[in-house]
Amino acid sequence: MLRQTRGDVQSPRIVDFETAILNPSADFGGLFAPERLPVLNTIEMRKLQKLSYIDFTKEIFTFLGINLDSAVLDSALSTYRRFDNPNEPVALRKVNDSLYIQELFHGPTRAFKDMALQPFGAILCALAQKRKERYLILVATSGDTGPATLQAFQNDANVFVVCLYPKNGTSDVQRRQMTTVNAPNVRVLGIDGNFDDAQSALKRLLADDGFKQALEARRFRLSAANSVNFGRIIFQIVYHAYTSLGFPERGVDIIVPSGNFGNALGAFYAKLIGFDIGKVVIASNANNVLTDWITRGVYDIKERALKQTQSPAMDILKSSNVERILYMLFGASRTRELLESLDSKKIYALSAKEYMEIQNYFDATFCTDEECRLLIARYAKLGHLVDPHTATALKAYEQFNNISTRAKIVVSTAEWTKFAPTVAQALGKGKLGDKDALAFVAKTLNAPIAPSIESLFDKEEIHNKTLAPSQISGDILDWITTL
Ligand SMILES: *Cc1c(COP(=O)(O)O)cnc(C)c1O
């Protein structure tokens, strides 16, 4: 059962998992989250040891009391057949005795979003079908969420997706991962402007009663597939927990390249459930608002402007899942107080006691683009090719390796192929487009390119419509009228 993070403390609204998935926004602008989590005892923990990834996931669902129809959960987990190794969708690579790289990018779009969006998509589709309802999902993307959402829902009969991306703001690979998706239930629109413009346009739509009424008149309901949807978070608990079981003697510290904090939230929940996780280390890029939050106890975006970096999936100032951490540790009224302060004053400060509590769970640091490129080059020489997001976590590893004897798990959130121009640049090449950069890196380091990336350049870009933000709502309504 889930509650509202900014809810009414006297009589909180409590919803089940299905409701939270289908209608992910809670009252007062909050999210749905568990208020507390059950803790595994030694016997239960031992039983989990020998399970396959799929069976392990089912046990976690049961343990957390998520009563999903077992056929629905089975079909959700069968989406891992689209991964390189369906039985072990996550790959763990040893670099040395203290450092392991956990690769979460072996799915269709080569970024970690697939780990959760693939099974989540199947659940949402099954629920929509069962209820005989049609859902519309709107996504604004800077490059990774869009492709993963389209892959998760393409060709579904009851869920429709509109994906907005900044016209000149993504890489060629990312754009092609969206514009080449050939399915009747998806629409991909390039927006004149940057990612902020796309995102603001989306927020205006979601707040527009006229738009919502027009959708209802056409018998569509709105849902969301971003990381505010708890249905995604649950799958992100699983891989952190599963990996920790591989280190029964010494436990793990988990280092997560973070933006909206969904991935790291999964690690935090896994620790609360009782898995042997020491610290969750938050790695950021130059948009280091989370570093300040964790190391100083102040969340401050007053003087900050968003910087464009080479790890764009982490270019975020308001990190949405911080809210679920606040709720779990400090409760709903305090969460509401802090986040209302962030909305109105663009800043909040934790009390000394709260700050200490955060420090019990988290550490944090950040990495500039230049440091990232140096790390990419250095680890490439050691035979470990990483993308710029993962590189931020390698910096954190080097900084925090000595805090404990636990194994350090660096979470790798994207394959290098998604950010080939930056990787080529790190390896000493000038500015190249995606196609040339892919070829250069593949040749220089004898690195394979996944077929799903390579084939993008042979496909037709069928979605080639670009629009001004003001034209979006009319376009969407016209489109759904034809469905
Ligand atoms: C989405 C994403 C992140 C950030 O993950 P959060 O859950 O938002 O913190 C990091 N790296 C890559 C490659 C991503 O796609």
Side-chain angles (χ1 to χ4, degrees):
M1 287 297 167
L2 302 165
R3 290 162 186 252
Q4 307 161 80
T5 51
R6 302 186 200 183
D8 181 337
V9 182
Q10 303 310 321
S11 50
R13 205 169 117 218
I14 301 176
V15 301
D16 63 11
F17 185 67
E18 286 193 12
T19 310
I21 282 197
L22 293 166
N23 308 295
S25 296
D27 296 346
F28 310 106
L31 309 176
F32 289 114
E35 187 183 33
R36 64 181 81 80
L37 291 168
V39 182
L40 287 157
N41 64 35
T42 326
I43 297 165
E44 290 164 328
M45 190 67 88
R46 204 168 301 139
K47 274 207 319 221
L48 293 174
Q49 279 285 352
K50 294 193 179 65
L51 299 180
S52 69
Y53 192 88
I54 304 292
D55 289 339
F56 180 82
T57 307
K58 290 184 193 170
E59 286 299 319
I60 295 293
F61 267 73
T62 309
F63 180 69
L64 293 177
I66 296 172
N67 300 320
L68 208 56
D69 186 300
S70 73
V72 172
L73 186 54
D74 280 337
S75 84
L77 292 172
S78 78
T79 59
Y80 286 133
R81 72 179 181 277
R82 302 177 192 140
F83 282 58
D84 294 343
N85 180 350
N87 298 319
E88 291 284 339
V90 175
L92 190 68
R93 306 215 180 278
K94 181 174 180 176
V95 179
N96 59 46
D97 278 336
S98 72
L99 172 59
Y100 293 76
I101 299 181
Q102 183 198 44
E103 296 177 349
L104 300 180
F105 55 69
H106 290 277
T109 73
R110 314 314 284 175
F112 101 95
K113 303 284 191 292
D114 292 331
M115 283 302 304
L117 268 167
Q118 283 287 323
F120 166 79
I123 292 176
L124 187 58
C125 293
L127 296 181
Q129 199 172 15
K130 189 172 89 183
R131 297 179 177 216
K132 298 194 172 55
E133 290 170 344
R134 295 196 296 181
Y135 284 86
L136 180 67
I137 288 179
L138 304 174
V139 215
T141 182
S142 62
D144 278 348
T145 308
T149 308
L150 294 169
Q151 284 295 326
F153 294 104
Q154 63 174 328
N155 293 315
D156 188 71
N158 294 67
V159 181
F160 297 78
V161 179
V162 176
C163 183
L164 311 174
Y165 71 94
K167 194 168 68 178
N168 299 313
T170 70
S171 70
D172 295 346
V173 164
Q174 290 172 323
R175 188 191 66 250
R176 284 174 179 274
Q177 282 184 317
M178 296 183 273
T179 57
T180 60
V181 175
N182 189 0
N185 65 324
V186 311
R187 188 160 183 83
V188 178
L189 300 168
I191 303 303
D192 301 329
N194 58 25
F195 173 57
D196 273 345
D197 299 321
Q199 197 165 34
S200 318
L202 177 66
K203 283 195 179 140
R204 275 199 303 278
L205 274 185
L206 295 177
D208 178 344
D209 286 332
F211 179 73
K212 278 190 276 194
Q213 278 160 13
L215 287 183
E216 270 164 37
R218 292 164 176 81
R219 292 186 304 108
F220 276 88
R221 290 159 185 265
L222 272 177
S223 188
N226 53 15
S227 66
V228 309
N229 197 313
F230 192 77
R232 274 177 62 180
I233 302 296
I234 191 103
F235 291 102
Q236 298 176 178
I237 298 175
V238 174
Y239 48 76
H240 295 298
Y242 184 77
T243 296
S244 74
L245 286 185
F247 299 85
E249 304 291 309
R250 53 183 175 147
V252 297
D253 294 310
I254 300 182
I255 310 177
V256 191
S258 295
N260 267 328
F261 220 107
N263 200 351
L265 178 71
F268 169 76
Y269 284 156
K271 178 177 166 68
L272 292 180
I273 294 169
F275 291 94
D276 193 1
I277 296 165
K279 286 276 166 85
V280 179
V281 180
I282 304 302
S284 297
N285 61 26
N287 295 294
N288 55 0
V289 60
L290 291 170
T291 315
D292 279 356
W293 180 59
I294 288 162
T295 60
R296 300 197 298 118
V298 179
Y299 203 106
D300 182 359
I301 53 175
K302 238 178 14 225
E303 307 289 327
R304 281 178 186 271
L306 191 73
K307 295 178 186 153
Q308 281 205 353
T309 73
Q310 290 182 330
S311 41
M314 294 154 61
D315 289 347
I316 283 167
L317 292 181
K318 269 195 188 174
S319 177
S320 45
N321 281 296
V322 165
E323 175 153 0
R324 289 189 166 112
I325 307 279
L326 296 175
Y327 175 69
M328 178 66 82
L329 297 179
F330 313 131
S333 23
R334 182 63 173 155
T335 301
R336 196 158 149 191
E337 185 175 79
L338 293 173
L339 289 167
E340 284 179 358
S341 165
L342 187 64
D343 282 338
S344 59
K345 302 191 191 114
K346 306 253 178 280
I347 183 168
Y348 68 75
L350 299 174
S351 71
K353 192 159 159 270
E354 289 165 343
Y355 166 63
M356 300 273 282
E357 184 76 4
I358 294 287
Q359 292 268 310
N360 280 338
Y361 296 93
F362 299 104
D363 254 317
T365 189
F366 72 99
C367 181
T368 65
D369 279 350
E370 195 185 342
E371 289 173 309
C372 273
R373 291 195 300 270
L374 292 171
L375 284 158
I376 291 170
R378 189 143 57 77
Y379 279 83
K381 280 210 187 95
L382 298 171
H384 300 281
L385 187 50
V386 299
D387 95 294
H389 301 77
T390 308
T392 66
L394 287 173
K395 153 114 188 239
Y397 160 73
E398 301 202 340
Q399 188 170 329
F400 290 109
N401 184 22
N402 293 326
I403 59 171
S404 74
T405 56
R406 286 185 284 268
K408 302 291 174 293
I409 310 296
V410 155
V411 176
S412 181
T413 50
E415 190 174 58
W416 69 272
T417 53
K418 288 207 72 166
F419 300 94
T422 303
V423 176
Q425 197 190 347
L427 299 176
K429 204 70 183 168
K431 270 209 176 342
L432 294 178
D434 280 58
K435 198 176 179 186
D436 293 336
L438 280 164
F440 169 77
V441 177
K443 184 149 172 281
T444 311
L445 298 174
N446 198 13
I449 301 173
S452 61
I453 297 287
E454 186 121 63
S455 64
L456 287 174
F457 293 92
D458 303 326
K459 289 187 183 159
E460 190 194 346
E461 295 196 65
I462 47 182
H463 301 276
N464 44 28
K465 191 160 186 181
T466 65
L467 293 175
S470 61
Q471 298 170 300
I472 298 167
S473 88
D475 181 277
I476 295 174
L477 293 175
D478 286 348
W479 179 56
I480 63 171
T481 307
T482 69
L483 298 173

